[in-house]
Amino acid sequence: MNILATVKQWFLRRRDRKAKAFASSYADLVDLYKAGLVFAKGTGQSITGISAEITSRVNIPLKVSVSHGTYFVSRGNHQNMVTRRKYQFELRPLGTERIHVPASCINASLPIPKESDRFRGVSRVSRNVQRFMEAAEGEDAMVIQAGV
């Protein structure tokens, strides 16, 4: 085995050990992303949603929770998008889950994302915006957009 393959295996085993702490119950997507256990990306759709891909970077199945206030980080000159509803799904070892995420724009001074716009990574909005998103779940998308 060459040195590169050995190093890759070492990193994978290290991430797997980290993942065991998250594997017993649903874990927040942002926490999993910050721990390096998943990769999150997306493409713009409109002012009301994005298409997202969450990819596992570990050999252990994960239960993923996308909570209110999770936002997908813009990779260009367009708005970040915050989720409008909670998602939960199971992610196979080294697998990818594709989801459509109802979302709202959170940077009013920037353009609305289009299908050609990309997102990479996730983060959390402020606690106040997160509480608003929880309370507004189920409301019309434009009402939530105005509130954000």
Side-chain angles (χ1 to χ4, degrees):
M1 184 179 283
N2 68 33
I3 189 75
L4 183 58
T6 302
V7 170
K8 283 183 180 180
Q9 286 300 314
W10 181 83
F11 275 110
L12 187 55
R13 282 193 305 274
R14 185 172 177 206
R15 281 194 304 259
D16 286 350
R17 282 192 300 275
K18 254 195 229 182
K20 288 180 182 177
F22 292 98
S24 61
S25 61
Y26 281 93
D28 188 80
L29 174 61
V30 175
D31 294 335
L32 293 169
Y33 177 78
K34 287 182 178 178
L37 305 179
V38 299
F39 181 73
K41 67 180 184 176
T43 57
Q45 297 299 303
S46 68
I47 196 170
T48 61
I50 63 171
S51 293
E53 288 185 4
I54 313 303
T55 302
S56 171
R57 299 179 70 206
V58 295
N59 284 311
I60 294 170
L62 296 170
K63 294 178 179 179
V64 180
S65 181
V66 182
S67 61
H68 294 91
T70 300
Y71 73 87
F72 287 78
V73 180
S74 164
R75 297 304 293 173
N77 188 32
H78 58 277
Q79 297 189 55
N80 296 321
M81 298 291 284
V82 63
T83 58
R84 291 197 324 260
R85 74 184 268 282
K86 184 175 183 176
Y87 276 88
Q88 290 186 324
F89 59 90
E90 294 185 20
L91 190 56
R92 295 178 321 277
L94 301 173
T96 297
E97 186 72 23
R98 290 170 182 82
I99 57 176
H100 176 74
V101 182
S104 296
C105 298
I106 59 173
N107 311 97
S109 64
L110 297 173
I112 295 167
K114 301 180 298 275
E115 288 184 26
S116 60
D117 294 322
R118 304 283 180 250
F119 300 85
R120 178 178 253 163
V122 290
S123 193
R124 286 189 189 97
V125 293
S126 71
R127 182 67 183 130
N128 286 338
V129 175
Q130 182 180 2
R131 282 196 311 262
F132 170 75
M133 299 306 286
E134 290 169 358
E137 183 174 342
E139 295 292 333
D140 181 78
M142 292 298 106
V143 170
I144 296 172
Q145 184 62 60
V148 172

